[in-house]
């Protein structure tokens, strides 16, 4: 009877822990959805750091007059011919208004109170400073994160999310911005501009602007999810520990179950063996990972030292892989990795080791292979990849770097030489093979 009560007590204790964990999770999610908000308003009627602007800097002749009321600012303007796209607006300076602005990237909603007295669109610019291309004192070099909308078709206030902004194409072309830098970035905004839109009619008009408001969360969604997952993991770990001790006491009191426990231990050994095997493989491509690569490398090093058998190291990198991920999504990127691994496996020997080194980089360790043969293999692979449709969206190519292992050489040094050769391939136009000792030209 005491044994039965003991089991009931153990079960009840576990249920209490799980119930508490569920309650904490529900409360945290509810608080996140209905609270934990960070709201930062920017009301312009008494904001000192702003000024009206016109198209005069671009050769235009438009005019504007700025006035303040108790709750907003009023822009009375006249759009005139002179500039191809006449405009007027207001500049709102944040921070020092030049290089150190406000980090607005943590907000997920932007509210804009603007009322035009007339038709036409309104442009909202979040001007970003980035030290890699912005020039101090040159306002035109601030990134144009923009959105253009019809206020009369929006709610009041109009509500936008950062994903709806885009970087102005004309600004990217004019400043020759790298494609990786031509993304919306609200992490340092020293200037906000609200202007009449591209299709605003010529003549007199009025814009009434109350201000803006930025809304976000005190804690990021990813941070909350990570905390909850960690809490669940810790709780279940505690439950497992409790169960382990309970099981140990029961095992000590009942020797008759020893045979069953030994059977369980053997099953665990098998599971451990399978786990060790899976831990050496990349789960996506089925290739070796770095852990699996280490044992193969040690074997080939020993073979080189004892038998003077040449070992070559081929490293390859998918050209413009980040563009594939950014353009078509990570599922297409994964498809590239899987299909590329299958193609390479079909072209190399069973004795060669294919390793996913990380991201879009792969390594092929070729035993009993001098660098000339490795060069031939790499060129064959390069052509096969170029001529194979790995994904339907676009052609995929790879750049290669090759090095032959020297007796007694540190593997890090071998990798550095091959990596430099790979870098040379990329510098010379990608989709090519370069050797650490001589360069092969297509």
């Amino acid at each position: 009877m005491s044994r039965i009560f003991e089991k009931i007590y153990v079960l009840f204790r576990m249920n209490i822990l799980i119930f508490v964990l569920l309650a904490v999770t529900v409360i945290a999610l509810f608080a996140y959805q209905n609270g934990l908000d960070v709201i930062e308003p920017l009301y312009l009627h008494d904001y000192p750091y702003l000024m009206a602007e016109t198209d005069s800097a671009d050769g235009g002749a438009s005019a504007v007059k700025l006035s303040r009321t108790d709750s907003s600012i009023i822009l009375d303007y006249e759009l005139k011919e002179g500039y191809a796209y006449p405009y007027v607006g207001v500049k709102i300076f944040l921070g020092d208004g030049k290089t150190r602005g406000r980090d607005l990237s943590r907000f997920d909603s932007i509210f804009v109170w603007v009322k035009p007295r007339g038709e036409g669109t309104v442009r909202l610019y979040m001007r970003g400073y980035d030290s890699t291309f912005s020039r101090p004192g040159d306002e035109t070099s601030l990134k144009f994160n923009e959105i253009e909308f019809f206020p009369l078709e929006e709610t009041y206030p109009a509500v936008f999310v950062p994903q709806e902004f885009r970087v102005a194409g004309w600004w990217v072309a004019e400043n020759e911005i790298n494609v990786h830098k031509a993304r919306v970035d609200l992490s340092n905004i020293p200037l906000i501009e609200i202007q009449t839109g591209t299709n605003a009619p010529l003549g007199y008009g009025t814009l009434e602007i109350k201000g803006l408001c930025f809304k976000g969360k005190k804690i990021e969604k990813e941070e909350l999810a990570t905390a909850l997952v960690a809490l669940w993991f810790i709780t279940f770990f505690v439950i497992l520990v409790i169960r382990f001790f309970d099981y140990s006491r029961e095992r000590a009191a009942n020797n008759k179950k020893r045979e069953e426990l030994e059977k369980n231990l053997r099953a665990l050994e098998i599971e451990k063996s399978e786990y060790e095997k899976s831990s050496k493989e990349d789960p996506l491509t089925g290739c070796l990972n770095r852990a699996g690569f280490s044992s193969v490398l040690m074997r080939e090093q020993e073979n080189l030292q004892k038998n003077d058998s040449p070992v070559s190291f081929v490293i390859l990198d998918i050209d413009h892989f980040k563009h594939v991920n950014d353009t078509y999504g990570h599922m297409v990127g994964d498809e590239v990795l899987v299909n590329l691994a299958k193609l390479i496996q079909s072209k190399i020997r069973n004795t060669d080791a294919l390793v996913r080194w990380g991201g879009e980089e792969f390594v092929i360790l070729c035993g009993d292979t001098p660098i000339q043969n490795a060069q031939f293999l790499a060129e064959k692979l390069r052509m096969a990849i170029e001529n194979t449709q790995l994904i339907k969206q676009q052609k995929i190519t790879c750049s290669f770097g090759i090095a032959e292992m020297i007796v007694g050489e540190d593997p890090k040094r071998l990798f550095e030489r091959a990596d430099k050769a790979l870098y040379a391939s990329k510098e010379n136009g990608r989709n090519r093979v370069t050797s650490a000792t001589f360069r092969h030209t297509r």
Side-chain angles (χ1 to χ4, degrees):
M1 183 68 69
S2 62
R3 183 70 58 84
I4 295 175
F5 282 116
E6 183 180 350
K7 289 185 177 180
I8 293 174
Y9 165 72
V10 170
L11 181 61
F12 181 78
R13 182 177 55 187
M14 301 303 175
N15 288 338
I16 285 292
L17 284 174
I18 295 175
F19 175 79
V20 171
L21 181 59
L22 285 171
V24 170
T25 302
V26 170
I27 292 172
L29 293 175
F30 180 82
Y32 182 83
Q33 292 294 332
N34 299 278
L36 299 178
D37 290 331
V38 176
I39 299 175
E40 293 192 12
L42 180 61
Y43 298 122
L44 302 186
H45 70 280
D46 58 353
Y47 188 75
Y49 308 111
L50 57 81
M51 61 181 291
E53 64 173 334
T54 70
D55 54 18
S56 59
D58 298 306
S62 299
V64 64
K65 177 184 177 183
L66 187 151
S67 58
R68 298 177 187 258
T69 69
D70 292 337
S71 61
S72 62
I73 63 171
I74 305 294
L75 296 180
D76 292 303
Y77 63 84
E78 181 183 4
L79 295 181
K80 301 178 182 179
E81 293 183 348
Y83 175 56
Y85 304 100
Y87 67 88
V88 298
V90 61
K91 293 182 177 181
I92 306 162
F93 299 97
L94 307 179
D96 65 4
K98 297 178 181 179
T99 60
R100 294 190 302 274
R102 291 286 305 282
D103 181 4
L104 303 180
S105 60
R106 63 192 181 98
F107 298 103
D108 53 35
S109 299
I110 301 172
F111 298 80
V112 185
W113 283 269
V114 58
K115 281 184 180 179
R117 295 176 186 170
E119 298 181 350
T121 59
V122 169
R123 285 185 298 232
L124 172 61
Y125 291 130
M126 298 288 182
R127 304 291 300 280
Y129 181 86
D130 187 324
S131 60
T132 59
F133 54 76
S134 299
R135 300 175 291 277
D138 183 1
E139 195 174 279
T140 62
S141 67
L142 298 178
K143 179 181 288 186
F144 278 80
N145 303 293
E146 69 170 3
I147 191 168
E148 186 165 356
F149 61 98
F150 286 90
L152 298 179
E153 297 179 4
E154 300 288 336
T155 58
Y156 187 78
V159 184
F160 306 104
V161 297
Q163 293 81 358
E164 293 174 318
F165 282 78
R166 64 181 180 87
V167 176
W170 61 265
W171 177 85
V172 172
E174 186 176 288
N175 290 270
E176 299 180 349
I177 302 299
N178 181 279
V179 64
H180 301 299
K181 291 290 183 180
R183 301 176 185 169
V184 172
D185 181 8
L186 305 182
S187 61
N188 184 11
I189 304 296
L191 174 62
I192 297 176
E193 295 182 83
I194 301 176
Q195 298 179 355
T196 55
T198 53
N199 61 350
L202 296 176
Y204 294 96
T206 301
L207 274 181
E208 179 182 356
I209 307 171
K210 182 179 179 181
L212 303 95
C213 183
F214 305 96
K215 181 181 178 183
K217 294 291 183 180
K218 293 180 180 179
I219 181 173
E220 296 290 337
K221 184 182 296 184
E222 292 77 9
E223 295 175 351
L224 178 63
T226 301
L228 290 175
V229 169
L231 182 60
W232 276 85
F233 177 82
I234 292 171
T235 302
F236 276 103
F237 178 77
V238 170
I239 291 175
L240 288 174
V241 170
I242 294 173
R243 286 185 179 276
F244 172 77
F245 283 109
D246 290 340
Y247 181 76
S248 297
R249 286 194 297 269
E250 185 177 351
R251 179 174 176 266
N254 190 0
N255 293 328
K256 293 181 180 180
K257 294 184 179 180
R258 181 176 300 173
E259 182 179 353
E260 180 182 354
L261 290 175
E262 290 175 350
K263 181 180 178 180
N264 291 338
L265 287 174
R266 287 194 296 270
L268 288 174
E269 288 295 329
I270 296 173
E271 183 178 351
K272 177 184 176 183
S273 176
E274 293 175 351
Y275 172 77
E276 289 177 349
K277 179 181 177 182
S278 64
S279 67
K280 295 182 179 181
E281 294 182 354
D282 175 56
L284 177 63
T285 62
C287 304
L288 292 176
N289 57 21
R290 293 196 183 192
F293 172 75
S294 299
S295 59
V296 178
L297 178 61
M298 291 176 62
R299 183 190 68 203
E300 294 299 340
Q301 280 183 303
E302 183 178 356
N303 198 25
L304 172 62
Q305 292 173 350
K306 290 183 178 180
N307 305 318
D308 198 26
S309 177
V311 180
S312 291
F313 189 90
V314 179
I315 182 169
L316 62 126
D317 187 278
I318 302 172
D319 297 330
H320 305 296
F321 185 71
K322 189 173 188 302
H323 172 75
V324 173
N325 272 337
D326 292 345
T327 305
Y328 309 115
H330 289 279
M331 291 186 65
V332 175
D334 289 349
E335 183 182 356
V336 172
L337 295 171
V338 171
N339 291 338
L340 176 62
K342 289 180 180 178
L343 177 62
I344 295 174
Q345 289 282 24
S346 70
K347 300 293 183 181
I348 62 177
R349 303 171 301 181
N350 293 334
T351 55
D352 297 335
L354 176 62
V355 184
R356 185 180 177 193
W357 197 251
E360 67 270 28
E361 272 191 346
F362 290 81
V363 165
I364 307 172
L365 188 64
C366 305
D368 195 23
T369 304
I371 195 168
Q372 294 85 352
N373 292 1
Q375 179 106 9
F376 177 80
L377 171 64
E379 183 61 24
K380 182 177 75 171
L381 291 174
R382 185 197 65 77
M383 294 177 63
I385 294 168
E386 184 180 20
N387 296 323
T388 301
Q389 187 176 8
L390 298 180
I391 56 172
K392 62 183 180 180
Q393 288 84 353
Q394 68 171 65
K395 178 189 290 186
I396 300 297
T397 62
C398 291
S399 300
F400 292 75
I402 307 171
E404 183 174 345
M405 184 182 294
I406 302 171
V407 177
E409 182 180 29
D410 188 328
K412 292 182 179 179
R413 175 60 183 157
L414 172 65
F415 180 83
E416 288 174 359
R417 293 194 294 115
D419 197 52
K420 287 181 179 179
L422 172 63
Y423 181 77
S425 291
K426 288 187 170 293
E427 284 291 298
N428 291 315
R430 294 184 170 85
N431 189 23
R432 61 183 60 238
V433 177
T434 303
S435 168
T437 55
F438 67 94
R439 181 172 297 172
H440 178 79
T441 305
R442 290 192 285 121

